[in-house]
Amino acid sequence: MSATFAGPRPDPVNASEACRYCGAALRIGTQPLHDTRFGIEQSYFHAYCPVCDLQQTCPRLSDADLKALYEQYYNFGGEAKTVRYSKWRERFLFSRFYALWTVLDGDISFHHVKGSGRLLDVGCNEGRGLLFYRHNGFAAEGLELNPAAAAAARQRGFTVSTEALESFTPEHRYNVIILSNVLEHSQEPQTMLAHVRRLLLPGGEVWISCPNARSWMRPLFRTRWVNWHIPFHTVHFSPGTLQTILRASGFRDVRIRQETPALWVASSLIVALFARHGRPTRQLRSTFWVGGLTLLTRLFAFPVLSLANHTGHGDCLVVRAVRD
């Protein structure tokens, strides 16, 4: 089933949507973008702000429409349709091979960072990351809007709230807050970071991972770049725009490294091969296609991935910043 929304589609040349960050008029591209994962039919456009350079997805959906899309397509519901894929993923993540893999491929989810203190994983889903953070020494908790996913995380023994970040008022503040592939989903990223700052202790850290709008894969795959992730990725950060918004939100010592996970390359390859407008790309949940292409990418493309990371064009931004 596909989702459409009432109302006129904006003219990509004459539309005058405002930047989510600075409010300036956006420059909107003419090439339509489509969802390549779930089969959503609506067309969207890439836009950038000529003032602050933040790149964004247009048209901007209402919170109600975006919530409806998440509930219909995106949210964890036990994954009954992809049981085999989910089981293999769990076995891989909690195997000894995964620790070696993150050394070679990059740890974009902070699964092997050791430390102590209270940690909040925003968008913790069913709690796989929380298991890693607890094992690494943290008192890990989660925030997850999807009640089914939150319940699965609680069954693993974690405290998980289903409140929205802006209304979350815990009894204590945190040493670390993780936004792993979360910030790019926010309609108001600066507001999200303000609430993260509110919940952190002075000197606490926010850890962020998100796609890089300057990635080498974006011009290569064009509209089939998997990290457009239309319409769920509402903003597209470059290293510069992410650093700017973090500093403006009260963070310092912003450290950014770049990684190009083989899984992300494999996913873009699968989209390029199989995605069809209005149809879900089922190969993205196939153990054969995902596992096979990920392994081949890591074995044979590692010089290209390493070069991209070191020249500012990696596919993922991995960030740590300190609260003032």
Side-chain angles (χ1 to χ4, degrees):
M1 183 177 179
S2 60
T4 57
F5 296 97
R9 182 176 301 169
D11 184 318
V13 175
N14 298 320
S16 57
E17 291 203 22
C19 173
R20 288 173 167 84
Y21 180 58
C22 73
L26 294 173
R27 293 183 180 175
I28 303 177
T30 58
Q31 179 67 48
L33 299 170
H34 301 102
D35 164 56
T36 56
R37 304 193 190 196
F38 305 115
I40 301 169
E41 292 185 352
Q42 177 76 10
S43 296
Y44 299 88
F45 296 90
H46 166 261
Y48 81 95
C49 177
V51 175
C52 71
D53 199 41
L54 185 66
Q55 301 182 45
Q56 298 156 64
T57 296
C58 290
R60 177 169 177 162
L61 301 180
S62 70
D63 289 342
D65 281 343
L66 195 57
K67 181 175 183 289
L69 283 171
Y70 273 104
E71 290 176 349
Q72 182 173 354
Y73 293 100
Y74 200 92
N75 281 341
F76 172 86
E79 301 190 278
K81 296 180 180 179
T82 55
V83 172
R84 180 180 298 177
Y85 175 83
S86 300
K87 285 182 177 179
W88 277 106
R89 180 180 60 188
E90 290 277 322
R91 289 176 185 174
F92 170 68
L93 287 175
F94 297 107
S95 68
R96 292 182 179 179
F97 181 64
Y98 179 60
L100 174 62
W101 182 265
T102 55
V103 171
L104 299 173
D105 199 52
D107 182 10
I108 68 168
S109 299
F110 311 98
H111 283 168
H112 296 289
V113 180
K114 297 191 180 297
S116 61
R118 293 190 175 98
L119 178 150
L120 180 68
D121 185 10
V122 178
C124 69
N125 210 331
E126 68 270 33
R128 288 191 306 270
L130 294 174
L131 290 170
F132 286 101
Y133 308 138
R134 181 169 63 186
H135 177 76
N136 292 335
F138 295 98
E141 302 174 21
L143 203 60
E144 174 54 56
L145 292 176
N146 182 352
R154 292 189 193 109
Q155 289 179 355
R156 298 179 188 262
F158 294 103
T159 298
V160 177
S161 173
T162 54
E163 292 182 71
L165 180 66
E166 58 268 23
S167 59
F168 183 51
T169 53
E171 295 180 359
H172 52 259
R173 288 191 284 175
Y174 297 90
N175 301 91
V176 176
I177 294 180
I178 294 180
L179 303 175
S180 180
N181 294 300
V182 168
L183 189 62
E184 68 273 21
H185 290 257
S186 176
Q187 293 265 52
E188 299 286 347
Q190 68 275 27
T191 301
M192 173 173 277
L193 289 172
H195 286 292
V196 167
R197 186 181 185 279
R198 171 180 61 86
L199 294 170
L200 279 170
L201 290 163
E205 292 192 359
V206 61
W207 299 353
I208 299 168
S209 60
C210 63
N212 179 11
R214 306 292 186 197
S215 168
W216 67 280
M217 293 208 297
R218 178 176 145 181
L220 177 66
F221 288 101
R222 305 181 73 176
T223 62
R224 299 284 177 116
W225 181 43
V226 75
N227 280 319
W228 284 123
H229 200 2
I230 300 297
F232 301 104
H233 286 185
T234 60
V235 289
H236 310 280
F237 294 102
S238 67
T241 55
L242 186 50
Q243 183 159 146
T244 296
I245 196 171
L246 278 165
R247 292 189 182 280
S249 301
F251 292 90
R252 56 180 171 81
D253 297 338
V254 180
R255 291 155 287 168
I256 302 178
R257 75 175 197 272
Q258 298 189 19
E259 303 286 356
T260 303
L263 173 62
W264 290 18
V265 180
S267 297
S268 283
L269 286 168
I270 289 170
V271 165
L273 290 169
F274 297 109
R276 300 292 182 271
H277 183 201
R279 297 181 185 178
T281 307
R282 303 191 187 281
Q283 291 83 358
L284 286 170
R285 306 292 283 179
S286 161
T287 303
F288 172 78
W289 284 106
V290 174
L293 285 176
T294 299
L295 187 59
L296 288 172
T297 298
R298 175 44 53 190
L299 288 174
F300 297 108
F302 66 90
V304 175
L305 307 189
S306 179
L307 179 63
N309 297 338
H310 287 91
T311 57
H313 298 284
D315 208 40
C316 181
L317 303 176
V318 185
V319 184
R320 294 175 68 166
V322 178
R323 180 198 188 277
D324 282 340

